Amino acid sequence: MTDFHQAARPPAPSKLSNALVFGWRAVLKFKHVPEQLFDLVMTPIMFTLLFTFVFGGALAGSPGEYLQYFVPGILVQTVMFNAVYSGMGLSTDLGKGLFDRFRSLPIWSLSPFAGLMVGDVLRHVIAGGIILTIGLLLGFRPAAGILGVLGSFALLIMVGFGMGWIFIVLGLLIRTPMTVMTIGFSALFPLVFASNIMVNPETMPGWLRAFVEVNPVSLTTTAMRGLMSGGVTAGELGRALIAPVALTLVLAPVTLRLYRRQ
Amino acid sequence: MSANGSHNLAIHARGLAKRFGDLRAVDGIDLDVPRGMIYAILGPNGAGKTTLMRMLATLAHPDAGTASVMGHDLASQPQRVRGEIAMTGQFASLDEDLTGRENLVMLARLWGFRGRGARERADHLLAAFELTDAAVKQVKDYSGGMRRRLDIAASLIVTPGVLFLDEPTTGLDPVARKSVWRMIRALAGSGVTVLLTTQYLDEADQLAARIAVIDHGRKIAEGTSRELKAATGSGFLHVALVDPTRLEEAATLLESKLGAAVQRSAEGATLAVIARTTRDANLALAALLDAGIELADFSMGSPSLDEVFFSLTGKGQA
């Protein structure tokens, strides 16, 4: 073993620098584990094809019409399910002792989470981009054009950011990634199906419709449709942002407490 | 220890305690580790070794007690402590998806090395730990020994004042184990204080200048390897009887011949007792033969960890 001493101790890095390193780690994960994208987009692609061609005609008169209705919603669904992977990743890291090393370093204690968020945003943008491209190929036409699409992706990222906290908290509490996934999917399926993503809730029974109308997934989907078609109102946008803002305000401090408690 | 002396300590702990529910994982431990020393914490699984180490590495809050690491108080200056330590856990603290080099570059950047500086630091450590050839392989494809080396390299991005190693050789084959021992000695030789936990008596014996033996969260003995052995007896006579019904008779005989308490194994007809010299052992064996107690097997050897505990605590006999 040759000499391992460092030449000189570097000056202490800034919080931003710490956070950027964890962001870089998230990017490297894409390079080394590209198959994670496959997991993320396969289900929404299947949903898009099946719903459009199997149910589309019956639900909206023609597959083409249904696609206009469905694409903004499936983007919301994609982001919701993406967040589960972030929690699974955290749970895996914690189980392997990697976070013990991070926690024993003289760094900003929240910076590892900043990195997770960077990874989340990248996943949302990449997966959303793939789904939107497939929608466009099939004939989806957002009336509000490129600005509408950019606006809708900005909303998607904010919704994903809010959702991300739920799974970070689950990832901190639960040490088995598979359990995080099972809990995540069990909770998300009813939320996603009992919403206006796939069908107009008009034909649902009254009690269910009451739920669908206040379901944050529906509120987000309505705002997404508005952004892409150009008819979004400030009220719709505001209602779509209630859940992500509330989740961040409540769960960010919880995350910090859980992380420091260990 | 004088006030002046405690200033030269790498670790100075008094009455550290941590409980999980009803379990007193660490139950009031004092520790003085001089700078530059390899210090071993020896104990069986569940003795509280890892919890003790995690508290000293700022990863767990003590319920009671105080400690300072390299002169910084654990409770009031945890970030200063973190600047002086590095910790390698029982499970590799590495990102399995990244390459060895990327792991080190990531950590170098977290310590404040920038751009090329971080890459040079990573390459330097890869070379020092003979990992240059595996630098661009993902860590999940590393062998156990390579993983350990990278793990230790990752703890040396900035040369720490104290390096914590939690069971550094558990699960390694004998060759990899020897190579990790060599590294630990080289580190201590260059002035790094090493605090390691182990369940292996020979590991503590081989590496550490001082050893603390802990059990059930308490320190039951401390000293150099020689001091502990003197307390335990360096030679242990183990005998197995052909006829288990004569166990008590044999135990009484050995006790009177060797003047030490005899340990009875839980499973079968074996007895263990300290024998100061081989002559004493021979005389004791002769006495058993004279009494007509037939032996299935006997051996003379180092005490096992159980036997050390027995000798140190005087308990363990049902």
Side-chain angles (χ1 to χ4, degrees):
Chain A
M1 187 168 135
T2 56
D3 183 43
F4 54 82
H5 278 269
Q6 85 272 18
R9 210 180 171 113
S14 66
K15 287 182 179 183
L16 177 67
S17 159
N18 285 162
L20 288 176
V21 175
F22 285 101
W24 177 68
R25 172 174 175 243
V27 174
L28 285 174
K29 289 267 185 184
F30 282 97
K31 188 176 114 193
H32 290 299
V33 200
E35 58 270 28
Q36 62 174 315
L37 278 175
F38 182 79
D39 296 340
L40 296 179
V41 297
M42 267 326 281
T43 319
I45 288 175
M46 287 218 335
F47 267 66
T48 307
L49 295 176
L50 286 175
F51 272 75
T52 302
F53 292 109
V54 178
F55 301 120
L59 290 171
S62 75
E65 300 244 345
Y66 185 69
L67 204 58
Q68 291 298 119
Y69 183 81
F70 186 62
V71 168
I74 191 70
L75 288 171
V76 176
Q77 183 188 320
T78 305
V79 164
M80 312 272 299
F81 282 101
N82 269 3
V84 180
Y85 287 90
S86 166
M88 287 173 69
L90 180 59
S91 177
T92 308
D93 283 353
L94 288 168
K96 285 195 178 125
L98 182 59
F99 265 66
D100 276 355
R101 183 181 297 283
F102 294 153
R103 290 194 326 132
S104 70
L105 290 172
I107 56 172
W108 177 40
S109 55
L110 273 183
S111 53
F113 299 102
L116 284 179
M117 288 299 186
V118 169
D120 278 9
V121 167
L122 278 173
R123 265 194 293 270
H124 296 329
V125 170
I126 295 172
I130 292 172
I131 301 300
L132 179 68
T133 307
I134 288 172
L136 290 170
L137 288 174
L138 292 175
F140 172 68
R141 291 295 173 264
I146 187 96
L147 278 179
V149 168
L150 288 178
S152 69
F153 268 64
L155 176 63
L156 273 185
I157 289 171
M158 284 185 258
V159 170
F161 184 82
M163 283 292 298
W165 292 109
I166 299 180
F167 288 96
I168 283 179
V169 168
L170 281 179
L172 280 167
L173 288 173
I174 301 167
R175 286 302 162 85
T176 40
M178 287 309 284
T179 311
V180 173
M181 190 172 88
T182 309
I183 292 178
F185 284 178
S186 317
L188 285 182
F189 266 109
L191 269 180
V192 162
F193 273 84
S195 78
N196 61 1
I197 288 183
M198 287 121 193
V199 292
N200 190 318
E202 271 169 8
T203 58
M204 297 179 191
W207 57 269
L208 183 57
R209 207 161 63 206
F211 172 76
V212 169
E213 273 159 17
V214 296
N215 182 351
V217 179
S218 302
L219 300 176
T220 309
T221 306
T222 302
M224 286 288 291
R225 288 191 180 121
L227 283 164
M228 289 204 162
S229 68
V232 72
T233 67
E236 284 172 351
L237 274 182
R239 282 190 290 277
L241 288 174
I242 293 174
V245 169
L247 285 171
T248 306
L249 288 179
V250 174
L251 295 182
V254 172
T255 299
L256 197 54
R257 270 188 72 103
L258 285 174
Y259 184 56
R260 292 214 168 124
R261 185 197 66 178
Q262 296 185 349
Chain B
M1 183 79 54
S2 70
N4 191 26
S6 83
H7 198 71
N8 286 323
L9 291 171
I11 297 170
H12 176 67
R14 284 293 172 271
L16 276 186
K18 176 85 180 169
R19 57 194 312 166
F20 299 110
D22 286 339
L23 176 74
R24 292 164 187 269
V26 173
D27 193 11
I29 285 187
D30 297 346
L31 212 57
D32 287 315
V33 180
R35 296 192 182 200
M37 178 182 274
I38 303 180
Y39 192 103
I41 297 172
L42 175 68
N45 272 330
K49 307 186 294 289
T50 300
T51 306
L52 175 61
M53 185 169 271
R54 289 176 62 84
M55 284 194 282
L56 293 170
T58 78
L59 295 176
H61 293 290
D63 295 333
T66 58
S68 65
V69 176
M70 298 303 280
H72 304 299
D73 183 63
L74 201 59
S76 61
Q77 304 174 299
Q79 204 71 349
R80 299 284 287 272
V81 171
R82 288 181 193 126
E84 294 281 359
I85 62 165
M87 159 128 187
T88 299
Q90 237 173 83
F91 308 102
S93 332
L94 301 162
D95 190 326
E96 307 249 311
D97 291 327
L98 305 192
T99 66
R101 187 166 189 259
E102 285 165 347
N103 266 286
L104 295 183
V105 170
M106 171 174 75
L107 290 165
R109 287 192 179 160
L110 289 175
W111 275 101
F113 286 96
R114 286 155 180 276
R116 180 195 289 196
R119 289 192 294 274
E120 281 173 0
R121 183 69 193 135
D123 289 337
H124 187 93
L125 284 167
L126 287 166
F129 285 83
E130 292 160 22
L131 288 166
T132 305
D133 293 341
V136 296
K137 274 213 287 192
Q138 281 176 277
V139 172
K140 62 175 147 210
D141 296 328
Y142 276 33
S143 71
M146 287 160 69
R147 209 173 278 237
R148 254 308 150 192
R149 294 213 296 279
L150 184 65
D151 215 354
I152 294 176
S155 298
L156 303 175
I157 301 281
V158 162
T159 309
V162 181
L163 176 61
F164 295 101
L165 296 172
D166 196 9
E167 304 204 1
T169 63
T170 298
L172 295 189
D173 63 56
V175 177
R177 194 165 184 227
K178 291 256 161 61
S179 121
V180 167
W181 283 359
R182 256 200 321 278
M183 264 168 228
I184 295 172
R185 284 196 198 97
L187 283 170
S190 73
V192 177
T193 307
V194 179
L195 182 72
L196 64 90
T197 67
T198 181
Q199 359 181 359
Y200 306 121
L201 194 59
D202 68 321
E203 182 159 279
D205 196 14
Q206 286 280 331
L207 289 175
R210 283 186 81 76
I211 301 167
V213 185
I214 72 170
D215 190 27
H216 293 110
R218 289 175 169 278
K219 187 167 77 177
I220 56 176
E222 188 193 1
T224 63
S225 165
R226 182 180 299 190
E227 285 165 356
L228 290 179
K229 279 185 179 160
T232 312
S234 57
F236 250 73
L237 175 65
H238 303 256
V239 300
L241 304 193
V242 172
D243 179 6
T245 59
R246 303 191 68 181
L247 202 65
E248 283 312 308
E249 193 187 336
T252 314
L253 200 56
L254 287 174
E255 232 151 59
S256 71
K257 283 286 165 196
L258 292 166
V262 172
Q263 297 179 57
R264 294 146 178 84
S265 72
E267 310 77 40
T270 62
L271 297 167
V273 61
I274 297 172
R276 272 167 205 83
T277 64
T278 47
R279 184 170 179 277
D280 287 355
N282 271 312
L283 290 173
L285 288 171
L288 289 177
L289 287 179
D290 287 346
I293 300 173
E294 258 191 279
L295 299 182
D297 191 16
F298 72 90
S299 66
M300 187 76 184
S302 305
S304 70
L305 196 50
D306 286 345
E307 288 156 354
V308 171
F309 283 131
F310 174 81
S311 302
L312 292 172
T313 61
K315 64 179 183 186
Q317 190 173 9

